[in-house]
Amino acid sequence: MAGKRKKSYEIGELDHYLFGQGNHYEIYKKLGAHKVCSGKKTGVYFAVWAPHAKSVTVVGEFNDWDMEANPMERGEPLGIYTCFIPGAQEGEMYKFCIETYSGQYIFKADPYANYAELRPGTASRVADLSDIAWTDELWLKNRAEWDHRKEPMSIYEVHIGSWKRHLGREDEGFYTYREFAKEITKYVKDMGYTHVELMGIAEHPFDGSWGYQVTGYFAPTSRYGTPKDFAWMINYLHKNKVGVILDWVPAHFPRDAHGLADFDGTPTYEYADPKKGEHPDWGTKIFDYGKNEVRNFLISNALFWIEQYHVDGLRVDAVASMLYLDYGKQDGQWTANKYGGNKNLEAIDFFKHLNSVVLGRNPGALMIAEESTAWPKVTGDVEEDGLGFSLKWNMGWMHDFTEYMKLDPLYRKGAHNQMTFAMSYAYSENYILVLSHDEVVHLKCSMINKMPGLGADKYANLKAGYAFMMGHAGKKLLFMGQEFAQLREWSEERELDWYLLAEEEHRQMQNWVRDLLHLYKRNKAMYEMDSSWEGFEWVNADDAQRSIFSFIRHSKDCRKNLLFVCNFTPVEREDYRVGVPKRKQYKLVLNSDESKYGGSGEERPLVYKSVKSECDGRPYSFAYRLPAYGVAVFEF
């Protein structure tokens, strides 16, 4: 006889099958807590995967946290527990009380919860995302036709809680998602950024983790407001033509008692083998990428942010730690794969599955790898044994660049190749050049205080460095505060030192970065052939004695090309001659010697005509007075 027909929100045989196969890409619509109508009753349907639990009940504000009031029914074969609680309301707090086979009772937050209690509380909250009012249809339509390889991307990396704060308030003074949306939109549009990348959005218990130790993967943190406030922020940024990227952490999770660790009294989300399932350096647990339900949890989570919250991309944290079984481990602390090697074969398959599904379902969305090794084909096609990411952070460039910039100019001639080497592999992946939060914490100094010299020399050095970065092949990312030369290292405990903009040298730095960003956005030569050798050409990559770099960025139709000249010493070159490809006029479009950037303000010609005079191996050239630490950009 046929069984009772299940309601659409209930967990059925097909849900069990797809989840067990790792292919239930919208499982977040079934697991977790969802407001529903059952007959004439409204309430909340709860569902949780706890395969090795002896029993599970729901406890919360709706039943006075009574462990016996709302037992859940176990569904086979996967061990998904469900129950309907009439009268439960949106916003009410709850947890799952899990009875383990060892006889313990443990209280866990909902892994699929859409909202959480503000820390230090650890409960989940019922949330209804069904009635969010989106008005960003045009943005999403345009995104589906957008090709990141041919479009500008200048990313402003931001930590909401410390970008700006309401000072003098008794509470922590955090901006809400809505307040932040309005302020950040004005700022990034003025500065010329195309995207913001938000740190620490998924719910996390400890501020000092910056959001990289997550307990609520499906919940935007309650520090700044509700899920609907978060959606309002995304919608507002999109309406103002600003893209949104989130940091996403599938590499590990914390041991907090209410989180995923030993969820049902056994290793549920993590590898059971501690040599595979624990990060000794970080004190965290590692996801079991060989378990279909865990892979499903992570893939559906990535899709959740992009499809439910309209996020434009995910920057995937700590990819290298997932790819290598011995990452951060000593001999004897890790288990080799079946071939005796150190590659995590399950994580490799996970990435291929993840990126194929996310990007296949969402044209124009981005998956960005923070991968710090020379792993091949990170942005290569899955069909050609690549990992399938859209873009990769260029950590090699970042390391070489910062090491060079820290040098006394006297010694830079001996390290000249540190600035040129990245072009030898620039097209092996689709790269983003990054100066991220990681470069301005843990006693690494702020960007301005990495620079050699005193006073004005520091600012001139950094301006030259930023110009080189903006001209170099690759997308761009700057962490907040770097654009106006924040003096102190970043701390999540305070807002940026905006008061520095009362001082001239910090305003001049901000002016310089703003004009570089707008130069980048309005010139196709700077981005449309970022993934092709035809887009970048060295004029002179070998002028080590003078520590001067000159190069050309080409547009596709060659109508508007840009010539960059960057001087990395305090020595002025009265009659610097640069070789050029054609007998043309060269228009000065960016000059670091202008007074608004802290230069001398001396007037100089805006147009330079090349003459037949061999230089840099080219038949034509022109001369230009290149200041100490000077940067000049010419259009031709």
Side-chain angles (χ1 to χ4, degrees):
M1 189 172 76
K4 186 178 73 171
R5 186 172 180 179
K6 285 192 176 290
K7 300 179 178 69
S8 61
Y9 58 80
E10 293 181 329
I11 305 287
E13 288 181 15
L14 182 61
D15 297 306
H16 275 265
Y17 174 76
L18 291 174
F19 187 49
Q21 294 295 307
N23 299 326
H24 201 322
Y25 300 131
E26 296 181 359
I27 188 64
Y28 55 82
K29 293 182 178 178
K30 293 295 186 86
L31 293 178
H34 301 280
K35 284 188 69 177
V36 298
C37 288
S38 180
K40 295 181 179 180
K41 296 179 180 178
T42 61
V44 176
Y45 185 76
F46 294 89
V48 63
W49 176 58
H52 300 110
K54 190 173 181 181
S55 69
V56 184
T57 62
V58 186
V59 296
E61 291 182 297
F62 37 75
N63 63 16
D64 292 327
W65 305 93
D66 184 347
M67 291 167 53
E68 298 178 358
N70 294 108
M72 303 182 80
E73 181 182 346
R74 183 181 175 99
E76 299 297 354
L78 298 182
I80 295 175
Y81 287 81
T82 61
C83 76
F84 171 70
I85 302 181
Q89 298 292 320
E90 184 170 7
E92 288 188 306
M93 293 190 290
Y94 69 98
K95 279 189 178 182
F96 295 116
C97 173
I98 297 174
E99 181 188 7
T100 72
Y101 269 95
S102 65
Q104 289 181 298
Y105 288 89
I106 54 178
F107 294 85
K108 292 286 188 177
D110 181 357
Y112 288 84
N114 296 136
Y115 191 25
E117 182 185 9
L118 179 63
R119 54 95 178 95
T122 58
S124 302
R125 287 187 184 274
V126 176
D128 183 9
L129 307 184
S130 64
D131 58 350
I132 292 172
W134 294 101
T135 57
D136 61 348
E137 299 85 1
L138 181 59
W139 173 271
L140 296 180
K141 179 173 179 275
N142 291 336
R143 186 180 80 184
E145 300 165 3
W146 184 78
D147 184 351
H148 66 274
R149 291 167 296 187
K150 300 174 183 175
E151 298 291 341
M153 274 190 73
S154 49
I155 303 166
Y156 189 51
E157 188 191 20
V158 186
H159 179 266
I160 294 179
S162 57
W163 183 64
K164 284 186 178 179
R165 289 192 181 184
H166 298 290
L167 302 181
R169 287 200 336 204
E170 288 186 7
D171 63 11
E172 293 165 295
F174 290 143
Y175 274 46
T176 66
Y177 288 121
R178 294 178 188 241
E179 291 170 331
F180 173 77
K182 293 176 181 177
E183 287 289 310
I184 199 71
T185 297
K186 281 190 293 187
Y187 190 72
V188 298
K189 286 176 75 70
D190 172 57
M191 289 298 295
Y193 294 99
T194 63
H195 291 71
V196 293
E197 179 178 314
L198 302 177
M199 294 169 59
I201 289 301
E203 193 59 82
H204 52 285
F206 177 49
D207 290 14
S209 79
W210 311 333
Y212 293 116
Q213 294 195 14
V214 178
T215 49
Y217 274 81
F218 289 83
T221 178
S222 56
R223 288 166 175 82
Y224 318 123
T226 68
K228 288 175 183 174
D229 294 332
F230 175 73
W232 192 94
M233 175 187 72
I234 304 288
N235 195 65
Y236 187 87
L237 284 157
H238 283 173
K239 294 284 279 185
N240 285 278
K241 300 180 180 178
V242 179
V244 184
I245 298 164
L246 298 189
D247 276 3
W248 187 59
V249 191
H252 63 132
F253 55 89
R255 298 170 179 269
D256 294 63
H258 70 287
L260 297 178
D262 294 315
F263 185 76
D264 61 9
T266 69
T268 310
Y269 287 86
E270 66 268 46
Y271 284 109
D273 178 358
K275 291 184 178 180
K276 289 182 74 175
E278 296 181 4
H279 269 303
D281 285 353
W282 299 341
T284 53
K285 299 279 192 175
I286 300 171
F287 283 104
D288 183 346
Y289 308 108
K291 195 178 285 184
N292 286 343
E293 296 89 344
V294 174
R295 291 155 64 106
N296 202 147
F297 171 80
L298 291 169
I299 292 170
S300 69
N301 183 241
L303 289 166
F304 169 79
W305 292 110
I306 289 171
E307 295 179 358
Q308 297 299 301
Y309 276 123
H310 299 193
V311 165
D312 301 296
L314 300 176
R315 174 266 194 187
V316 184
D317 183 61
V319 168
S321 75
M322 298 168 65
L323 293 173
Y324 297 98
L325 293 163
D326 59 348
Y327 185 93
K329 297 179 181 180
Q330 305 298 320
D331 288 345
Q333 290 184 327
W334 61 282
T335 301
N337 64 31
K338 62 184 179 181
Y339 303 115
N342 68 340
K343 293 180 179 178
N344 189 330
L345 305 177
E346 295 159 347
I348 295 167
D349 286 343
F350 164 73
F351 281 131
K352 292 177 179 180
H353 188 177
L354 167 76
N355 291 325
S356 298
V357 171
V358 171
L359 300 178
R361 286 171 57 125
N362 299 281
L366 297 167
M367 294 296 287
I368 302 167
E370 188 241 341
E371 202 284 315
S372 54
T373 73
W375 189 281
K377 297 184 179 180
V378 172
T379 58
D381 292 339
V382 169
E383 294 78 7
E384 297 176 4
D385 203 31
L387 295 182
F389 283 96
S390 316
L391 293 155
K392 173 182 171 174
W393 276 22
N394 195 335
M395 311 294 278
W397 173 88
M398 177 276 299
H399 177 267
D400 290 347
F401 173 82
T402 52
E403 289 304 305
Y404 178 89
M405 293 303 300
K406 286 189 276 188
L407 289 172
D408 185 299
L410 181 65
Y411 301 111
R412 283 178 175 167
K413 59 189 175 187
H416 195 76
N417 69 311
Q418 287 187 302
M419 293 288 265
T420 60
F421 178 62
M423 280 310 302
S424 69
Y425 62 84
Y427 304 107
S428 61
E429 304 277 7
N430 299 323
Y431 280 118
I432 303 178
L433 306 187
V434 294
L435 293 173
S436 75
H437 67 277
D438 276 329
E439 307 322 307
V440 293
V441 292
H442 301 323
L443 304 180
K444 294 179 188 173
C445 295
S446 63
M447 284 305 299
I448 189 67
N449 281 322
K450 292 185 200 296
M451 299 301 111
L454 299 170
D457 276 359
K458 282 186 175 292
Y459 293 89
N461 262 289
L462 189 53
K463 284 172 202 161
Y466 283 161
F468 183 88
M469 174 186 182
M470 293 303 295
H472 196 284
K475 309 306 180 188
K476 324 295 176 192
L477 178 144
L478 274 180
F479 181 57
M480 63 181 197
Q482 295 178 2
E483 75 278 12
F484 62 81
Q486 166 102 3
L487 293 172
R488 294 191 288 180
E489 284 191 341
W490 170 63
S491 169
E492 81 283 351
E493 295 179 351
R494 59 175 184 258
E495 75 164 20
L496 295 181
D497 295 334
W498 293 102
Y499 61 82
L500 292 173
L501 287 170
E503 300 176 17
E504 193 173 44
E505 58 265 40
H506 295 278
R507 289 198 307 275
Q508 291 163 347
M509 182 67 74
Q510 189 185 49
N511 291 339
W512 179 244
V513 173
R514 180 191 294 111
D515 287 355
L516 278 170
L517 288 165
H518 283 287
L519 179 79
Y520 170 76
K521 266 178 76 172
R522 70 172 178 262
N523 284 280
K524 289 184 176 181
M526 298 276 274
Y527 57 79
E528 72 174 349
M529 291 201 292
D530 247 347
S531 54
S532 166
W533 285 101
E534 299 170 343
F536 183 98
E537 178 186 2
W538 286 113
V539 173
N540 192 337
D542 302 316
D543 194 354
Q545 287 303 311
R546 295 187 294 180
S547 297
I548 296 173
F549 302 85
S550 52
F551 56 88
I552 294 169
R553 295 304 306 269
H554 291 286
S555 62
K556 204 165 189 176
D557 58 12
C558 290
R559 283 187 169 181
K560 200 173 176 184
N561 307 303
L562 295 175
L563 166 66
F564 280 72
V565 181
C566 303
N567 179 7
F568 284 93
T569 69
V571 180
E572 182 180 27
R573 306 293 172 180
E574 283 284 349
D575 195 33
Y576 178 77
R577 184 164 290 275
V578 60
V580 290
K582 294 181 179 179
R583 194 166 193 163
K584 294 276 187 181
Q585 288 188 335
Y586 292 78
K587 179 183 175 185
L588 182 62
V589 292
L590 191 68
N591 166 28
S592 65
D593 201 36
E594 287 189 44
S595 55
K596 67 177 177 177
Y597 307 134
S600 70
E602 177 187 319
E603 285 193 31
R604 58 178 68 216
L606 291 180
V607 176
Y608 297 80
K609 192 168 185 179
S610 62
V611 297
K612 191 166 177 60
S613 175
E614 193 276 334
C615 183
D616 298 323
R618 296 164 190 273
Y620 306 103
S621 63
F622 68 88
Y624 171 83
R625 189 179 71 74
L626 185 63
Y629 299 119
V631 173
V633 183
F634 302 89
E635 179 189 299
F636 66 98

